[in-house]
Amino acid sequence: MFSDRYNPRDVESKWQKIWDDNQIFETKNDDPRPKYYVLEMFPYPSGRIHMGHVRNYAMGDVVARFKRACGMNVLHPMGWDAFGMPAENAAIQNNVHPAAWTHDNIASMRTQLKSIGLSLDWSREIATCDPSYYKHQQKMFLDFYSAGLVIRKKAKVNWDPVDQTVLANEQVIDGKGWRSGAVVEQRELTQWFFNITSFAEELLESLNTLPRWPEKVRLMQRNWIGRSEGVLIRFEINSKNPPAGFSEIEVFTTRPDTLFGAKFLALSPDHPIALTLATSDLGLSAFLDESRMNGTSMAAMETAEKKGWDTKLTVAHPFIPGQSVPVYIANFVLMEYGSGAVFGCPAHDQRDLDFANKYDLGNTPVVRPSSQDPETFVITTTAYEEDGVLFNSGFLNGLSTSEAAKRAIDALEQGDLNGAARGKRQVNFRLRDWGISRQRYWGCPIPIIHCEACGSVPAPADELPIELPADVTFDRLGNPLERHPTWKFVACPRCGKNARRETDTMDTFVDSSWYFARFTDPTIADAPTNRTVVDSWLPVDQYIGGIEHAVLHLLYSRFFTRAMKATGHVSVSEPFAGLFTQGMVVHETYKGPDGSWVLPQDVCLDGIGSSRRATLKSDGSHVTIGGIEKMSKSKKNVVDPDEIIQDYGADTARLFMLSDSPPDRDVIWSHEGVQGAGRFSQQLWRLVGNLVNVCAPLDSDPGSVEQSSALVIRRLVHRALLRVQDHYEKLRFNTAIAEIRKLTNALNATLGEMENTPSADEALALREAADVLVVMFSPVMPHLAEECWSRLGHKDLLSDAAWPAVIDTLAQEDTIVIPVQINGKKRAEISVPRDIDNESLERLALKLEPVEKALENRSPKKVIIVPQRIVNVVV
RNA sequence: GCCCCUAUGGCGGAACUGGUAGACGCGUCCGACUCAAAAUCGGAUUCCGCAAGGAGUGCUGGUUCGAUUCCGGCUAGGGGCACCA
C-alpha cells in the first residue's frame, strides 16, 4: 500500500523550479505548430492577489496547459496594468512615490502568482508604467492624431470631485465614478478624445462576427452603442424677427409618423438658439442656469420636474400649411444627443404629454389601436406609445405606424425648404467619443505641446517617450505635472517659441487597450508591434476576465485595435476571437453584536438550513449571518490565497476554484469545499500509488489486451478521456472535474474488486489508466500531476507530454441500456447491442413483462423508437 | 420605465440538438477502524409511503408518443441602460 500523504508544500515548489529552470513555458514566435493565444485580463498591481485572481488565472491556465498538451504553440503571457489612481493615493497618504509603490506591489504579486504554478511565459512580462511600453502608446496616439482619430474639443465632461479628474461616460456607473464612488459633476472642459464614434456602426455590426463571445456582453455593447434610425427635420422659424443668424431649427426624431400630432418644439438649454436668446433676456438666462444646476444622478433626474421656457418663437409645421408650432426651451432635452432639439407629440409620448398638459399645449392623437374608433379615441393623461393605425394625419391616414414613418420621411426628403430638402434620413448613436484626458500624474503623458502661435503640436517622434518626471510632490490637490517647476516648459517643435507640454495624462484604459498586441513581441524598441509577429498571433483565441469590463475595456480594445489597423500597426479588427466572462468569488458575511463586520475565521457556525446559528468564537456572542457577497476587505469576507496555498497547496486552491460552480457563475467560498478539494488531491495520490504497485511497466502497449475485465477498464478510461477533453474544450471545468472524480471512483472500485492482484491484461489496462488519469487532471492540478507522473516512472516532464488520443472503438459502448416507456413513462430497461436494428429492438421491448402486462394481449397503438435512445410504447 | 438573464434535493450543481431527472461534490445520518477523537474507509440520502406504488425541475396553460429542455401567460431573484427624442 501507498499510504504516505501527499505534501503539496515541498512538491509544488520543486516542480515550479524545474519548470522555471527548463524554461518550458517560454513561447517562441517562430514555432511551426499551430498557434493558440490564451490571455487573462492582466491585474492591477494593488499589492496582493485575491481569490478572484486565482479563479481567473486557474481557468486560463487549464486552457493553456490543455492546448499545449494538444500540440499547439501556446502564448500565455502576464503583465501589469500599472498606471492608475491607487498608486497616487498611496503617494498622498504614505509619502511613497507611485513608481516605487507600484514596483514593490508588482514584485510581491509576481511571487504570489508564481506560487500558483501557472504556465506563464514570464519572459514576456510587461508593465504599462514602463517608458518602454508607454513610448509606443504615445507613438500610436500621434499616429491616431494624424489619422483624425484623436480630437481636441470642448465638451461637457464627467468630473470626479474625489479623484480630481475627468471620467469617460463608460466610467460613470449610476452617476458615480467607477473607482472613487463619488457623485460625478458635469463640467465643460477642453479635452482630448478618441474618435470612437467614427467606428460606431462597425463596432456594432462586428459584434455579429464574434460567435465565441457571451451573448450577454454583445447585447450590453449593442445597447451601449445605441443605434437608432430616424430623420433630421428642418423646421422653418416663422417669427418676424428670429434670433440673429437663425432661420430654422433641426430636430432629430425616430417617430416621424407622429409628425401631424406635433404641438411644440423643445430646445436644450445648451442649444445655440437658447444661448443667443439668453444674452438679451435675464429671465431666460436664469432659467438656463437653473436647468444646468440639476444633478445628473439617477435620483435627481427621476424627481426633476419637467420645466419649459416659452421663447415666443414659432416654427412652421412641415406638413400642415399655415400651422405654427411654439418653441420652448426645456430642461430635459440633451444637447449631446441628436441635434439638441425635439418635437413634442403629446398624444404619443408620455413625457411630451406631461409637458403639454403642464403648459396647456393640447394634444392631437394621430395613432390609434386598430380596434379603436377614431371618433372616441382621446388622450388625457396617458400617452398611447404603441404601434397602430394613422388618423388625423393627412396623407398618412390609414397607414400602419412603420409605413407612415417611411412615407413621412420620403415626403420630407422630397419637400423643399429654401432650396434644400426638408429632412434627411439619419442614424444616431448613443455612444459618445472616448474622453481620455486625465488630470493626474500616474499615467501616460499625452505627447502634445501647446504653442500660442502654432496650437497643439505633436511632440517629435524622436523625443518619445515623453517621460514622467520623477521629482514630483503630492502635498497638494491637483495634478503634480501642472505645478512641476520645469517639466512642462519646452520650446515649440514647430516655431521654437516658448510653449507648454500637455499636462493631462491618458486614461489608464488606453494602456490596457493594446497590451495583448504588445505581448506578441514585447521587447521590440522601434515600434509598438512587429507586424509579422503580431499578425501571426492575433486575435487572442481565448480571453478570460470579469463581466465588469463588458463595455469598458472590451469596447475600448475593440476600438483601439481598429485604430491600430487604420494606422498600420495590426491587420485584425477584432482583438478577441473568444471571450469568457468568469463569475466572482463570493463568501457569506457576518456581523457582530455591535454591527461591525466579522472575519469568517472568528465565527463558529452550527445547525443547517433556517436553524443555522453563528456565534463569536472568542466570547460566544451572537453573530448575524449576512448575505453572500463578493469578497471585499471592507466586509471582511475575504480569504487570502496565500494562506490557502500554504495550508492546502496551490493545486487544491485551483481545484476548488474550478469545481462545483460553472465557471461563468459566482462560486461560493466555503471551508468544506476547500477541504473536499484537498481530500480529492490525497485520493488521487493514493490511487496513483496503488496503481504504480500493480500496473504494467512504462511504455507497455495495451493494444493487445483481450480479457474482458481489462477491456472494461480501457473503455472506462477512453470514455472519460473523450468527455473530459470535450469539457475542457468548452471551458466546462466543473463537469470535467466531475468526470475525473467519476473515473477515480471507478478505478478505486476496480482495484478493490481485484484485490490489487490484476491479471497481465488488467495490468496493461491499469498502466494506461494511470497514465491517462494523470494527464487528464494535469491542467487543473499540475504539480500533483507532475509528481504522480514521475512516480509512474516517466522520465520526461508531464508539462511537455502529449494529450492521449481517444480510441473511438473503446470510447463507444457496444452494449447499451435503453429505457422502455409506456405512454411516456419509464417502465423498464433493456440491455441491447449498440447497433441493434429497430425491428429487433421493438420485438424485444414488446416481450418485456411490464409491457405485456400493460398491453393485455392487445397490439400497441404506436411504438416510437429513437435509435440508441429510447423505446416508447403507446397503449 | 425599457432591454436581458436565471429559477432543478438540505446546499453547489449535472442532464449532448425534446428521450432513464438529480451525474459529481458538499452536508447530514448509519456503520467500520480507535480506549477516544481526528483522519480514513464502507453504506444511505428528492419527497410521500412499511410496501406495492405515487408525486416531482418557481407557478400556470399549451405543443408532443414523450418537456428541466420548445411556445404563451404569471411570480420571484439578478444584471444592463436610463430625460436618448
Side-chain angles (χ1 to χ4, degrees), chain A residues 140 514 516-518 520 528-531 534-535 538 560-575:
Chain A
M140 285 192 286
W514 69 285
F516 45 86
R518 185 67 187 170
T520 62
T529 58
N530 174 329
R531 277 302 290 276
V534 77
D535 289 346
L538 289 185
F560 208 91
T561 304
R562 282 173 169 76
M564 283 176 79
K565 184 183 181 184
T567 50
H569 295 293
V570 291
S571 297
V572 294
S573 297
E574 287 295 340

Side-chain angles (χ1 to χ4, degrees), chain A residues 184-229:
Chain A
V184 165
E185 300 162 6
Q186 300 295 307
R187 288 197 182 179
E188 188 139 277
L189 292 171
T190 302
Q191 298 275 295
W192 291 99
F193 288 84
F194 279 154
N195 195 356
I196 190 169
T197 52
S198 64
F199 290 103
E201 187 80 61
E202 205 194 317
L203 287 167
L204 182 72
E205 276 304 306
S206 300
L207 288 171
N208 299 325
T209 68
L210 299 170
R212 290 176 50 231
W213 277 44
E215 184 52 42
K216 182 185 168 70
V217 174
R218 288 188 286 167
L219 189 70
M220 281 166 75
Q221 292 210 356
R222 248 176 235 130
N223 290 340
W224 188 261
I225 295 168
R227 182 184 196 275
S228 60
E229 280 180 26

Side-chain angles (χ1 to χ4, degrees), chain A residues 445-638:
Chain A
I446 293 173
I448 291 285
I449 292 154
H450 298 289
C451 170
E452 277 193 19
C454 312
S456 300
V457 182
D462 58 7
E463 286 179 16
L464 300 184
I466 307 299
E467 284 198 49
L468 288 169
D471 53 335
V472 282
T473 53
F474 294 91
D475 50 348
R476 272 174 289 163
L477 275 180
N479 184 353
L481 291 178
E482 184 65 39
R483 60 171 181 262
H484 190 276
T486 56
W487 186 78
K488 70 175 174 183
F489 300 108
V490 287
C492 170
R494 204 163 286 166
C495 70
K497 290 195 192 122
N498 286 348
R500 284 185 310 106
R501 273 196 200 293
E502 172 66 66
T503 53
D504 283 354
T505 52
M506 291 184 214
D507 181 3
T508 55
F509 278 102
V510 180
D511 313 338
S512 53
S513 288
W514 69 285
Y515 76 108
F516 45 86
R518 185 67 187 170
F519 272 140
T520 62
D521 196 347
T523 54
I524 176 174
D526 55 354
T529 58
N530 174 329
R531 277 302 290 276
T532 320
V533 173
V534 77
D535 289 346
S536 73
W537 281 113
L538 289 185
V540 173
D541 295 275
Q542 187 62 61
Y543 197 37
I544 307 176
I547 186 80
E548 66 271 20
H549 287 294
V551 283
L552 286 156
H553 162 61
L554 289 167
L555 184 63
Y556 294 146
S557 297
R558 294 182 64 222
F559 157 75
F560 208 91
T561 304
R562 282 173 169 76
M564 283 176 79
K565 184 183 181 184
T567 50
H569 295 293
V570 291
S571 297
V572 294
S573 297
E574 287 295 340
F576 313 120
L579 172 69
F580 190 87
T581 50
Q582 103 267 9
M584 296 180 299
V585 183
V586 295
H587 193 298
E588 205 162 52
T589 52
Y590 309 101
K591 270 188 180 176
D594 59 346
S596 63
W597 301 103
V598 178
L599 290 169
Q601 63 252 40
D602 298 334
V603 173
C604 183
L605 292 165
D606 286 298
I608 54 163
S610 55
S611 65
R612 282 179 77 225
R613 292 281 138 68
T615 47
L616 218 51
K617 273 183 190 164
S618 53
D619 60 2
S621 59
H622 178 76
V623 168
T624 312
I625 301 176
I628 296 170
E629 296 183 55
K630 181 178 182 173
M631 284 190 177
S632 79
K633 277 187 199 134
S634 60
K635 289 180 182 155
K636 291 201 174 170
N637 61 341
V638 281

Side-chain angles (χ1 to χ4, degrees), chain A residues 776-851:
Chain A
M776 235 157 49
F777 73 75
S778 66
V780 178
M781 292 175 281
H783 312 88
L784 174 64
E786 201 75 74
E787 186 73 7
C788 288
W789 191 247
S790 136
R791 192 60 71 123
L792 281 165
H794 294 274
K795 298 284 171 260
D796 56 340
L797 282 173
L798 173 55
S799 299
D800 280 329
W803 191 260
V806 174
I807 300 173
D808 291 337
T809 50
L810 287 171
Q812 284 191 351
E813 309 185 41
D814 43 15
T815 306
I816 52 175
V817 176
I818 291 187
V820 178
Q821 296 182 330
I822 298 167
N823 294 339
K825 301 225 167 192
K826 186 196 157 195
R827 288 296 126 116
E829 290 179 345
I830 34 173
S831 186
V832 293
R834 186 188 176 78
D835 51 1
I836 189 170
D837 59 284
N838 288 0
E839 290 77 35
S840 322
L841 182 56
E842 177 170 342
R843 217 175 316 117
L844 286 171
L846 291 179
K847 271 192 213 136
L848 289 169
E849 199 205 308
V851 178

Side-chain angles (χ1 to χ4, degrees), chain A residues 121-333:
Chain A
D121 181 354
W122 283 102
S123 74
R124 293 179 187 245
E125 179 181 358
I126 51 180
T128 57
C129 64
D130 193 328
S132 69
Y133 180 82
Y134 69 69
K135 166 187 175 180
H136 304 293
Q137 192 163 304
Q138 291 173 335
K139 173 67 168 59
M140 285 192 286
F141 178 94
L142 295 178
D143 290 348
F144 294 0
Y145 188 55
S146 325
L149 294 168
V150 177
I151 35 181
R152 186 170 164 80
K153 62 183 178 189
K154 193 172 189 181
K156 254 193 186 174
V157 292
N158 311 296
W159 177 261
D160 185 322
V162 168
D163 282 352
Q164 292 276 313
T165 186
V166 163
L167 295 176
N169 285 6
E170 291 79 7
Q171 295 154 25
V172 179
I173 316 288
D174 285 344
K176 292 174 186 150
W178 74 292
R179 194 129 225 176
S180 71
V183 173
V184 165
E185 300 162 6
Q186 300 295 307
R187 288 197 182 179
E188 188 139 277
L189 292 171
T190 302
Q191 298 275 295
W192 291 99
F193 288 84
F194 279 154
N195 195 356
I196 190 169
T197 52
S198 64
F199 290 103
E201 187 80 61
E202 205 194 317
L203 287 167
L204 182 72
E205 276 304 306
S206 300
L207 288 171
N208 299 325
T209 68
L210 299 170
R212 290 176 50 231
W213 277 44
E215 184 52 42
K216 182 185 168 70
V217 174
R218 288 188 286 167
L219 189 70
M220 281 166 75
Q221 292 210 356
R222 248 176 235 130
N223 290 340
W224 188 261
I225 295 168
R227 182 184 196 275
S228 60
E229 280 180 26
V231 58
L232 193 66
I233 307 172
R234 297 166 59 213
F235 283 86
E236 183 170 33
I237 299 176
N238 54 17
S239 307
K240 285 185 199 81
N241 43 357
F246 300 98
S247 58
E248 59 183 60
I249 298 171
E250 286 192 329
V251 164
F252 175 75
T253 182
T254 55
R255 291 295 303 273
D257 51 307
T258 64
L259 205 42
F260 279 91
K263 290 293 170 193
F264 64 92
L265 249 57
L267 307 180
S268 162
D270 294 312
H271 194 279
I273 292 179
L275 298 176
T276 305
L277 290 173
T279 56
S280 57
D281 186 335
L282 281 176
L284 174 56
S285 183
F287 175 80
L288 298 189
D289 288 343
E290 187 199 338
S291 303
R292 291 194 197 102
M293 291 273 288
N294 270 337
T296 46
S297 71
M298 192 168 64
M301 282 193 281
E302 258 174 18
T303 53
E305 200 184 344
K306 309 289 175 259
K307 280 187 188 163
W309 176 276
D310 188 355
T311 63
K312 310 289 185 201
L313 296 173
T314 62
V315 292
H317 193 288
F319 291 155
I320 312 175
Q323 176 160 327
S324 60
V325 178
V327 179
Y328 279 74
I329 294 161
N331 61 354
F332 59 83
V333 182

Side-chain angles (χ1 to χ4, degrees), chain A residues 18 55 91 114 200 209 424 580 645 683 719 754 817 852:
Chain A
I18 292 173
R55 193 172 192 213
K114 287 194 172 180
T209 68
K424 63 168 197 276
F580 190 87
I645 291 168
Q683 262 176 44
R719 223 170 293 145
M754 59 181 60
V817 176
E852 288 199 321

